[in-house]
Amino acid sequence: QVQLVESGGELVQAGGSLRLSCAASGRTGLIYTMGWFRQAPGKEREFVALISWNYGTKEYADSVQGRFTISRDNAKNTVYLQMNSLKPEDTAVYYCAATRSRLPRRLNEYNYWGQGTQVTVSD
């Protein structure tokens, strides 16, 4: 009942910036938390950031703290991930996810997922 579509992933040089978008549609009233996860080749999907849909509470993984900023535009049903000072280690497929739960970090607590968008950071 909730559809998520990510966009904005592309090739960028180390030190550069990129902004990802996640557009939500359907029964968005079901969403309490929206989160970003990423998965690099050969690695497990990991938590990146989350935000509460209504109140804007934010949390970040230690690996991106101070470099990434999550935000949302409720009028557009869209959540963003502003990524600055990108590193090659940030290379991954980035997934947007949504859940009715309050601020979880475990991926198995998210009910809805986007298709992912590829972010590649080159040296």
Side-chain angles (χ1 to χ4, degrees):
Q1 286 75 33
V2 176
Q3 295 80 45
L4 305 173
V5 179
E6 304 97 331
S7 62
E10 62 180 63
L11 175 65
V12 64
Q13 289 190 323
S17 297
L18 204 60
R19 189 178 76 162
L20 306 182
S21 298
C22 174
S25 61
R27 298 185 63 185
T28 57
L30 298 175
I31 300 171
Y32 188 97
T33 306
M34 296 189 70
W36 286 97
F37 293 78
R38 66 186 183 186
Q39 187 167 21
K43 298 182 179 179
E44 296 193 352
R45 195 169 300 183
E46 65 176 355
F47 167 78
V48 175
L50 63 80
I51 186 168
S52 65
W53 185 251
N54 292 317
Y55 297 100
T57 303
K58 302 173 183 179
E59 295 184 9
Y60 299 93
D62 290 344
S63 59
V64 306
Q65 183 75 45
R67 298 189 298 120
F68 291 11
T69 302
I70 190 170
S71 62
R72 90 283 198 221
D73 186 337
N74 293 63
K76 297 181 179 179
N77 290 330
T78 300
V79 63
Y80 304 96
L81 185 67
Q82 178 67 46
M83 304 184 293
N84 298 327
S85 301
L86 283 163
K87 306 174 181 179
E89 307 93 88
D90 297 317
T91 295
V93 177
Y94 283 71
Y95 296 91
C96 179
T99 180
R100 306 179 195 184
S101 299
R102 183 180 183 275
L103 311 182
R105 296 190 177 208
R106 294 175 59 87
L107 60 87
N108 62 6
E109 296 188 56
Y110 285 78
N111 308 99
Y112 309 102
W113 293 85
Q115 83 288 349
T117 185
Q118 176 71 50
V119 173
T120 302
V121 184
S122 64
D123 290 320

